[in-house]
Structure formats: C-alpha cells, structure tokens
Amino acid sequence: MRDGIRLYLRYVSMSLRSQLQYPASFLMLVVGNLAITGIEFLTIWALFSRFGSLGEWSLPEVALFYGMVHMAFAISEAAARGFDILHRQVRSGDFDRILLRPRSTALQVMGLEFQLLRVGRFAQGLVVLRWGLTSLKMSITFAELLLIVAAIIGGGLLFSGLFVLQATLSFWSVDSLEVVNLTTYGGVETAQAPISIYRGYFRSFFTWVIPLATINYFPLMAILDHADPLGIPHWLSWLSPLAGLVFFVLCLQVWNFGVRHYHSTGS
Amino acid sequence: MAQIVVQDLRKAFKVAKREAGLWNAFRGLVKREYTHVQALDGVSFEIEEGELVGYLGPNGAGKSTTIKILSGILLPDEGICQVMGRIPWQERIDHVREIGVVFGQRSQLWWDLPVIDSFELLRDIYRLSSADYRKTLEKVVDTLELTDLLEVPVRQLSLGQRMRCELAASLLHNPKLLFLDEPTIGLDAVSKLVVRDFVKTLNEEQGTTVILTTHDMDDIEALCSRVMIIGRGKILARGKLKDITREVARERRLVVELDGDYSKEYIRSQVPGAELVKLEGKQAHFDFDPARISPPELIANISARFQVRDLLIENQPIDEVISRLYGELHI
Amino acid sequence: MNRRAYQAIMRLRFMLLMQYRIAALAGITTQFMFGFVKIMVLEAFYLSTTQPQPLTFQQAVGYVWLGQAMLRLLPWDGDGEIQALVRSGNVAYELCRPLDLYSHWYARAIALRVAPTLLRAVPVFLVTLFVLPPKYALSIPTAGGWAAWILSTLGAIALGCAITNLINISMFWTISGEGISRLIPAVVIILSGMGVPLPLFPDWSQRLLELLPFAGLVDTPARFFTGQLSPTMIWVFLARQLVWTAILIIWGRRLLARGLRRVVVQGG
C-alpha cells in the first residue's frame, strides 16, 4: 500500500512536470478552465437577481451547494483523468502496456495523467464556497468544516467512480461513452442546486443510485441546520462522505470485471 | 520442459462489418453484422531457454495474437500455453515481472521528460532495489551508448536514439524472456545495426530468450537461429531459415554482362536450362536450379555462344524468397 | 467553391457521424437530460415569484429546448483540421490551390455545424413538440413565427460560421489563438442565451446583450419561435445578424490576409 502511494506520487510528479513544460500555454489552460466553469455561477447569479430566491433557498446558500460540487468534480477531473481518456488507450492498443506491468491496472491508469489545469474549476468553486460562508455570517465549528472537506473528498471519489465506469465501458464500446456524461457533467449541473428542488424519479436517481446528494445536500442540511424535506435525519448527514468511498470501491470491482473481459476478447 | 510450450492454441475475434456508402452507413444505424475471424487456428510450438526465434508472417496472420497470449494480455479460446512453468493470463503479475516487451511502433517513455525519469518510474513500477537498478542501468547505458541521452527529453531524440532507450527501458528489470515486435521499423541503417548487435549480445551473453517479429528479413538473417512462419492462424513452416527457403529458393541467380546487344528471344533460344528473368541493357539475369544444371556447365554454355565481359552468381534476394514462400504456402 | 465539392464535404461529415450511431443516441440523451435539469431549475425559480417576467415559463421551456436542439450550431470551437494546418504552418501550401481560402473555410464551417445539428435537432424537435406533457413541451408557433424562426436560424448559421472562421484564423497567432480557443466557449455560452435565456438577465444588461453579436446565435431564433418576439420584428433582428456577419467576415478576411503574410514571410 505504502509502496503503491509512493509510485502514484511519482506518477503525479512526472505528470505535473510534463504539463509545466510550456508555462504560458498552461496558464492559458487554467484561465480558460476557470472562465468556462465560472460562467455557471454567473448564470445562477443572473437568475437570482431576477427571481430573488430559489424556492426556500437564498443565493449564498446555493453558493455552498455550488462550491462543494464543483470542488469535488475538479478533484476527480484532475485525479481520475486517466480513466476519462482510457478509451484512447484502448483504441490505440496502449492499454496493453499497462497489462504488461506487474502492478494494479487501476493505479497505473490513475497515473496516466494528473490534469493540473482543473485547478481552475477548483479555484472558482472555492471562491464561491467562501463567499457563501461569509455572506451567511454563520459560525462554523471545526467539526463542520471537517465535514465539508470530507464531503468534498467523498464527492471527488464518487465522480472518480463514474469515470472508472466510463473507462470500463470502453472495453466494450467506445461509442457509448457520452452516456456517462449524463452523470458526470450532468451530475454537476444537477447538484449545483439543492437536490430537493427536483422531482420524482430524477431526484431519487441522484440520491440513491448515484448518490450525488451525499456530496453537498446531506452535509449542508446538517450544517445549515435545515430540516430536510426528504426526511433524512442529521446524524446520517455526518456519514454521507463515506458514500463516495463505498461507491468508488464498488466501481473498482466493476473495473476489474472489465479488465477480465478485455483479457478474453482483446477488445 | 521447454521454457515456452504452446499446444493447439485457438483464438477467434468478432469483427463488426462496415461497408462503404451512405446507404450502408444508415443501415448500420439499425443493424450491424459481425464476422468471425479465426486469428489462431491450432498453433503449437516449443521454445527452449536461450533461443533467439524469428516469428514471421504477413500482417493479420496471427503474430501479434500469439505474442499477446504469450505475454499474458489475452486469453485463448482453447489450447495450452505455458511460459516458464506458468499459465501467463492466470498469474499475470508474476508472469510479466519476468518478461520484457518492445513495440517498435509504440513508446513507453514519457514524451516531454528526460529519459532518465522514465527509467526511474520503471524502477518503482518493478520494485527494483537501488543496487540492482543501478547495476542494470549501468550495463545497458554502456552497451547501448546512452550516456549522453539520459538527460534529453524524449521528444528531442531521433527515432534510432529513442529505440535504443526503449530497449533499455524493457530490460531494466532483467527479464528472462524478451518479445521484440518490429524493433527496427523505420530506423536508419546504422541504428538498425546497433539494435541488432545489442540483441545478439544480450542473447549470447545473458542467455535471454528472444522472440522477434519483424518484416525485415535482414534482421532475421542476422539474428535468428530458428524461424516459425504463421499464416491464416496456422504455423506453416518452421526450422532454420535456410532450410525453409531452400525449397522455394533452390534457384540461384546468374548475372552476366554481355559484350553486344541481343534480343530477349535470341538469348532465350541460346541458353536452355536457365530462365532469363531480366535484361537491362547488356546485363542479363538468369535464374537456374543448380541441381539440374551445374554452374560451371551453365557458364561454359553461355561463354561458348556470347562474348562475356563479367559474371556473378548470387542467392536470390531474401525478401523475394519470402514473398514467394508466402505464395507457395497460400498465405 | 463549386456545389459538387461542397456536397462532398457534407456527405463526408454525415458518413463520419453515422459511424457512431450509439454516440449520436447518447448525445441526444445528454441534451434531454441537460434540458430537463435547466427546466426544473427554472420551474423552481418561477414558483418563487408572483411578479410577471419578460419571458413566461412556457416560453422559457421552449427557449431551453431550442437551445438544446441547436447546440451543435454554436461556434464553440474551430475546425480541427484547419487549426492544425495553420498551427503547423502547412497552410502556406493551401495558397497553391485555385480557390478563395476564406470561402473554402466558410463552406467547411457550414458543413461542420449543420451536419451534426440536423442529426440531433430532429429527434429533439419531435420529442419536445409531440411527446412531452404540455407543461414541459415546446409549443408550436404561428405561421409567422415559423417563418421568422427559419430566417433567423439561417442568420444564426451565417453568423456562427463567421465566428468559427475567426477562431480558425486566430491560430495564426499561436499563443493568443490558444487563449481565444479556451475562452470562446465561455463567452458563447453565456452571451448567446445557451446558459440562461437572455431576457432573464437583469434589465440593465439587456441593451448590451442585444448589441453584441452573440445574441444572434441562440436568443434571436428562440424568441421568435416561442413568440416572445412578434414575427413583424424579424427584419430588425435579421438585419442585426447580417450586419454582424458582414463585419466579422470583413474582419476575418483582413486577419487571414495578415496571417498568411506572416506565414509566407517566416517561411512557414
């Protein structure tokens, strides 16, 4: 395990050095990422300025939801980038190289790239989250802060799990990968507003099947001390970061199944 | 037991049909048809430790499928495959620790970083001790002359330099078995020689078993003690290259420089027992079978009827022989 | 450029797209999902207020669906092949061909945008017009609305392709070109109405949004289709689209000439 972490850190450091070879164009990538992800908040701000509130939620409150899900997604975009681009490796045959190495395939795929430019999305999420917290003038305990951090990391794992599923799918067909965008990019779009505003099956899907609600909705219910219209008790909110971890581990099992399939078909 | 034992290996792939034309493209939206391709159709062979074996065959004959199975990436449908006493795909991690693979057309080095970084990553991947790593590195750097290349970013290397580094990268963990897939493709003549020399030395001095697939017959001639030829999923010929080609390349070539101009028809009528294959100006190329007409007899015949300035007997070019062999084997 | 060559470009694009049948299906599904999320969020906002808005909820729903249907028409990126050509300097060889480079690229841009849009817009229209419950459906416009929508969509294509060409041409100035390629999607999404229907932006920003070229891409056709604008207004808005198209084409031609001079002087 410790050995694995050391290897992963070496991968990350190599990846970072590769990306920083051309600092000017790298900076541009970061700024571009910041802009394209930041406009999302601009649209939310525009709607609030016209309508005043989103149901029972104010703009600073929604800012918390928004900031947390964007930071979580940025982490997975950076760290699980290897899974996101795996279909290219499969198509070109470079995935074979990974099978030729005596290490876990998942670790090596993670090591393909740590995409630093996602720091743009992360930064704008952090700024929005900070702004939300200050505007609400609430006093946050250390435990609550810890819950926020843990929930963001759990969210990073959850989205990473989705990228793992996407990569697994590419062992069967590269045509269908865009379906996963429904849950990744679509998930971010969905979860940047409180999940309680959605209806029926849609909300259930993102609460129970792909538990996006655990990234920000449940933790924030506890922190904002808000009675949950979905009826989840606050003590459960404190456990919600674990959902991402469990989800990620499950996805890795699916991944291993996919690798075995690749073994027998050669894709 | 031999280091590699393969018995009756079979593997089929399912391939989606794609037909040309707009209409077919539309039809493909609704219904897609598949064909089965039998990549391996009962392949058997054994390879002993320390051998250097050439694996030949046209594209799509089943070469890379075999290599993939031997290296543990791919499961066969049927058949037995044991490498160093293991079934490769069942004990993948232990298996790949002891093999090295070089793909001539793909790189395992980090494009934007100095070569040494990729090497150090491999050290961590294979969990090599510092002492072992340093010892092996020193040796490969020395024999492949990499000293000046280690600090250079991979993207700045020439193809030949890069291939030397790829070879080194595949050997850092001291594999007992090395697969080389077209290692000299696209290289200039000098780099080809360096790579060939290195492979030969590696095989002779360390006793590393090498399986080489290539389309470069000079590689095969220079390196391989034994070759196997695969076509349509079956091994069609095996043994020493010379023995295999003797059947199709019984014939030698005699090149004669004539003093004077003659028509093809005239030359043909005057030289029975040999076939005129080419006439370039005054240079006439004959193919003949030494078993039927001995070279001195043929030369005597020719010089009796023509003024001859110069002559030369040679073997047929190896590439021609192989393509003729493929033809004879119906592949 | 002659019609034959143009048809060939279109045909090729279609064939390419057809190969990825599931990808097309997945893309359409994605568009529905994003559309529904946007509509549900908008619904929650509309329920929070009793004041009349510049866009009724029904119109906002239509606006969102039209945006999703026309998604691929937006000029978010350049033509990959042309950009590679410019970046590598090989564009100099294009000068040997007996055709006007700008028009050639413009024709390619039309194919690049229109082919995938046709493939994806048709199912979105069919479902949103005829399948969805009325509350979340696209309402069928009047005859005048149809006509105005068709005209303004043609205007949007003309405008979008002029912007696409500018993105292509910006690659002559490598660093700033990369920067433009990175920033243009953000600008296009927010200012065209793809993110939020433009009429819902604060009142003080309305004049500015209308004056910028980007409103012509999504906002103008959507407002005619949903009846938020009367069909009689089409001439004003079409004129605005075409004036911007003309300005951007002239600007693009100038830049192209300058860029080509650079390449020729530097020797590629």
Side-chain angles (χ1 to χ4, degrees), chain C residues 40-74:
Chain C
M40 282 189 280
V41 171
L42 281 174
E43 189 180 15
F45 271 115
Y46 271 91
L47 287 174
S48 329
T49 184
T50 47
Q51 283 178 358
Q53 297 299 335
L55 206 60
T56 67
F57 176 63
Q58 210 57 58
Q59 285 169 339
V61 168
Y63 195 115
V64 168
W65 286 132
L66 287 162
Q68 292 302 317
M70 295 297 153
L71 184 73
R72 290 307 201 87
L73 215 53
L74 281 183

Side-chain angles (χ1 to χ4, degrees), chain B residues 140-156:
Chain B
V140 291
V141 164
D142 207 45
T143 40
L144 284 165
E145 295 167 39
L146 303 179
T147 321
D148 299 331
L149 304 182
L150 290 179
E151 299 299 330
V152 181
V154 175
R155 61 167 191 274
Q156 291 173 14

Side-chain angles (χ1 to χ4, degrees), chain A residues 3 10 99 101 263-264, chain B residues 11 73 75 108 124 127:
Chain A
D3 197 47
R10 182 177 284 282
L99 289 172
R101 298 263 156 83
H263 266 303
S264 58
Chain B
K11 182 76 194 174
I73 297 177
L75 242 95
Q108 55 178 320
D124 286 3
R127 296 191 172 95

Side-chain angles (χ1 to χ4, degrees), chain C residues 172-213:
Chain C
F172 278 102
W173 293 267
T174 319
I175 298 284
S176 40
E178 291 284 358
I180 287 169
S181 300
R182 299 287 159 198
L183 292 176
I184 200 84
V187 174
V188 166
I189 290 173
I190 194 77
L191 296 178
S192 68
M194 193 70 215
V196 173
L198 292 188
L200 294 180
F201 272 92
D203 294 327
W204 55 262
S205 62
Q206 292 298 324
R207 278 234 43 89
L208 181 72
L209 290 172
E210 276 194 6
L211 282 177
L212 288 171

